[in-house]
Amino acid sequence: MASDETSKRHLLGRQPARSILVDISPPFDQHVCDVLCDSLENMFAVACSLAGPSRIPMVSIFLLTAQPELLLPLSSLKGNLTRIQNALRAIRTSVSEVGNCLPRHISCIPQAVQQATEQFRRQVCTFTQPGLSMNQLEVIILGCRSGEFVSRQIEAVADTVHIQHLKRILCVTLTPQLYGSEDGLLDVSSQGSSISSTSMITGLMDTLTLDADCVSLQNFFHGWLMDCGSDSEHLHIVLPSKNTDGSRLVVKCDLHEGILNPAQLPYNTAFTLHPESANCKLVFASTSKAAGITIPVHSIYISALIHTTAVCESIVFGMPLIVQPTSCWKVDWDELEKNQQNFKALCHLLYKKDMVMLGQLEQPVQPAKGSTNPRPPCGWFILLPGPNLSLLLKSVAVSELLLPAGPGQGGVDLAEDSVDLLAGVLDQIDVLDTFNPLGLTSGLFDSLKCPTKGSRSMSHARKRETEKETFPSHCPSVNKVRGVTTVTSFSPESPATHTVHSMQHQHRQQQKQRQHCVKKPFLTELE
């Protein structure tokens, strides 16, 4: 089991604030700009719409031309999608107007980094809004210059950059095609910085090369929505030990989301099917309320192994979670290395044997002795191995949750004409050798970019459908007139409009009577 210090962890850990510096110096062109701005807008539309605590606490946007221009000051993400869209629109306009006129060898990247870190330092000193526990800044420089060129520019002003709250400076080189190393452009033989300086800021700089296409940028930006905290492990996999002393082997793991939970987004009913609970709404903690929330480090005791083919998909449910060896910095280095080796060996053996592990959740707190309260339930889970030395954690149904299975289709008698008909239909459908979800789109990005139009129309449509289901045409209708609730029937003998007009007429008559009355002194009214 985990120790007392690591038995609980903070929700979403420590998410850093992010300062985005867009360098539009050549060879940054209109195509790169459009792909970059579209990918950023898509990611921010999702991040602003996600219920629960903000996964990007604060964000700022700089445009780098001849001088750094602050398009979006360091601001909270929630509620600022319109301002972010305006900033991205300004970037598009600048690229179309002055993009090709900028000098290649002159850069304002150092000044922009100085301004971003100074702005964050002032914000941290004066920030009093509760619920945002961000204490680190990540500076992301997006452009087409090589990482080595950008690193040299930053190194020249290393002594003037505030690094107290700086997590890292990431130089992202966007490559629409391969360029030579001259003029500060990409050199494909050098992916990192070759600076030999020993300044502290050098250890905080990373370089990354990305293709300027939608898939690569979406994967990169969506990584900002993942939990990047490493203050504690998330899960303990408890295995029976070979020793006779009763000790158990514990593998410490981190949990990562494989997909975003559609329940945290608008239009969530478009992604799930609910036979009876389509109108149910889950409530997620807001950013301010989630700041002090701690959740336990769970332990799952493995009690059985099951062949993969013996697991029925109909009893597996819930959001899949990717399990990897922990990277918690509080764990001793030797223990961390041994834990990673045990985890890799476990995944290798399970995948080789084609087995999954079945385990039950252990209660983090045991009930007090003599307590009459029933013990809370403990769910069961399965862990499926993958070829990349990772595990997939999913919930599995228990007897209390199972419903009677429907009647099966008895017999194997098949009509030949139906078989021939369906065989011809299936032959016309394309067969995919591999399935890649990146090739499937639902239109969610476009819907979230205009939330006031799409979400309201959908909410009104759902409300009308709910009212129709709750109050059919043959049932009385509930009307509210100035706080007075009346039940009226839509039959010819008692039209609803007659009731509404009579209530309004009665209310006007009462107002006129009050206006003609002479108010008595306060003491007289008490008498």
Side-chain angles (χ1 to χ4, degrees):
M1 294 294 291
S3 60
D4 294 340
E5 290 78 5
T6 60
S7 59
K8 290 184 178 296
R9 62 184 181 92
H10 286 281
L11 193 62
L12 278 181
R14 297 182 181 180
Q15 303 294 99
R18 286 183 166 88
S19 184
I20 303 172
L21 281 55
V22 182
D23 180 14
I24 63 172
S25 301
F28 195 97
D29 56 16
Q30 193 66 49
H31 170 71
V32 176
C33 176
D34 291 339
V35 175
L36 174 63
C37 291
D38 286 343
S39 301
L40 278 171
E41 187 178 6
N42 291 341
M43 184 274 299
F44 281 125
V46 173
C48 291
S49 304
L50 277 173
S54 179
R55 304 189 178 212
I56 304 176
M58 304 193 79
V59 65
S60 63
I61 300 177
F62 287 82
L63 173 64
L64 309 189
T65 54
Q67 295 292 331
E69 180 182 355
L70 180 60
L71 301 180
L72 179 69
L74 198 61
S75 309
S76 299
L77 188 66
K78 294 294 184 74
N80 281 320
L81 179 59
T82 301
R83 297 177 63 192
I84 294 174
Q85 290 174 325
N86 292 336
L88 297 177
R89 196 174 296 114
I91 295 176
R92 296 177 190 267
T93 304
S94 297
V95 171
S96 61
E97 293 178 353
V98 301
N100 295 327
C101 302
L102 296 175
R104 289 174 175 257
H105 295 282
I106 301 177
S107 172
C108 65
I109 293 176
Q111 296 91 325
V113 173
Q114 288 176 324
Q115 293 182 18
T117 54
E118 175 63 22
Q119 183 187 53
F120 183 78
R121 186 188 67 84
R122 294 196 307 266
Q123 193 81 352
V124 169
C125 295
T126 60
F127 197 66
T128 58
Q129 180 179 346
L132 291 179
S133 58
M134 57 88 187
N135 57 0
Q136 287 184 312
L137 173 68
E138 184 175 87
V139 178
I140 301 98
I141 304 171
L142 301 168
C144 291
R145 300 178 190 257
S146 69
E148 184 177 354
F149 174 82
V150 175
S151 299
R152 287 198 304 265
Q153 295 286 314
I154 299 174
E155 179 65 22
V157 294
D159 297 336
T160 61
V161 176
H162 296 280
I163 64 174
Q164 178 183 1
H165 300 284
L166 190 61
K167 181 178 181 180
R168 70 168 176 169
I169 300 176
L170 179 60
C171 309
V172 181
T173 302
L174 304 176
T175 59
Q177 56 183 356
L178 295 180
Y179 296 93
S181 59
E182 58 182 1
D183 296 331
L185 305 184
L186 175 65
D187 180 5
V188 294
S189 63
S190 177
Q191 296 288 329
S193 174
S194 60
I195 300 174
S196 59
S197 174
T198 58
S199 65
M200 294 183 63
I201 198 172
T202 304
L204 298 175
M205 286 191 295
D206 291 328
T207 59
L208 178 66
T209 302
L210 289 177
D211 293 332
D213 59 72
C214 298
V215 174
S216 299
L217 290 175
Q218 177 179 327
N219 288 338
F220 172 69
F221 291 133
H222 274 55
W224 298 357
L225 304 179
M226 300 178 67
D227 186 358
C228 59
S230 59
D231 290 343
S232 173
E233 66 270 21
H234 300 173
L235 175 71
H236 292 171
I237 299 178
V238 184
L239 299 167
S241 177
K242 296 172 58 178
N243 300 329
T244 58
D245 57 359
S247 61
R248 303 185 297 181
L249 177 62
V250 178
V251 181
K252 298 180 180 180
C253 307
D254 291 340
L255 298 176
H256 301 282
E257 295 171 297
I259 59 176
L260 292 173
N261 189 352
Q264 293 182 255
L265 287 167
Y267 313 99
N268 54 74
T269 56
F271 300 95
T272 54
L273 296 178
H274 299 276
E276 297 295 340
S277 56
N279 295 323
C280 291
K281 182 179 180 181
L282 299 177
V283 179
F284 297 91
S286 62
T287 300
S288 59
K289 293 181 179 179
I293 294 180
T294 59
I295 54 180
V297 176
H298 298 294
S299 296
I300 296 179
Y301 179 73
I302 305 301
S303 60
L305 297 178
I306 309 174
H307 285 283
T308 304
T309 55
V311 179
C312 181
E313 286 289 336
S314 63
I315 53 96
V316 178
F317 65 96
M319 293 288 296
L321 293 174
I322 299 173
V323 183
Q324 294 178 339
T326 185
S327 58
C328 176
W329 60 270
K330 295 182 180 180
V331 179
D332 181 73
W333 179 258
D334 293 335
E335 181 185 354
L336 195 67
E337 180 68 21
K338 183 62 176 178
N339 183 78
Q340 291 182 351
Q341 295 299 326
N342 289 341
F343 182 87
K344 293 179 181 179
L346 176 63
C347 296
H348 169 74
L349 292 174
L350 289 174
Y351 188 76
K352 181 179 179 180
K353 295 176 179 293
D354 197 20
M355 293 277 195
V356 303
M357 294 188 296
L358 175 67
Q360 187 176 23
L361 192 67
E362 292 187 337
Q363 286 297 336
V365 178
Q366 298 296 331
K369 293 183 178 180
S371 175
T372 58
N373 296 328
R375 298 184 60 179
C378 300
W380 288 80
F381 299 85
I382 58 172
L383 292 121
L384 299 90
N388 56 347
L389 296 181
S390 63
L391 297 173
L392 190 66
L393 176 67
K394 299 201 70 175
S395 304
V396 63
V398 293
S399 60
E400 296 93 333
L401 299 180
L402 291 177
L403 294 175
Q409 299 292 331
V412 292
D413 295 335
L414 300 177
E416 291 296 334
D417 54 347
S418 297
V419 172
D420 295 338
L421 174 63
L422 270 299
V425 171
L426 294 178
D427 290 339
Q428 298 178 3
I429 301 177
D430 294 335
V431 178
L432 302 178
D433 295 331
T434 59
F435 172 70
N436 187 358
L438 292 174
L440 305 179
T441 59
S442 64
L444 177 65
F445 289 151
D446 294 334
S447 300
L448 295 179
K449 291 176 186 177
C450 304
T452 55
K453 180 179 179 181
S455 59
R456 286 182 181 177
S457 60
M458 178 166 284
S459 62
H460 290 328
R462 291 176 186 167
K463 184 177 180 181
R464 288 193 297 269
E465 293 177 0
T466 304
E467 290 177 350
K468 288 180 181 180
E469 294 175 0
T470 309
F471 305 109
S473 58
H474 62 276
C475 295
S477 175
V478 177
N479 297 319
K480 289 187 178 180
V481 182
R482 296 184 182 274
V484 180
T485 303
T486 61
V487 180
T488 60
S489 175
F490 288 93
S491 61
E493 294 81 10
S494 176
T497 53
H498 175 73
T499 304
V500 173
H501 290 319
S502 62
M503 293 293 297
Q504 293 176 342
H505 177 72
Q506 182 180 0
H507 183 74
R508 285 195 294 267
Q509 291 295 332
Q510 292 176 354
Q511 283 184 331
K512 290 181 180 180
Q513 292 177 3
R514 293 195 200 97
Q515 292 174 358
H516 290 292
C517 292
V518 179
K519 290 187 176 180
K520 297 182 180 182
F522 180 69
L523 291 177
T524 306
E525 291 186 38
L526 290 178
E527 296 174 355

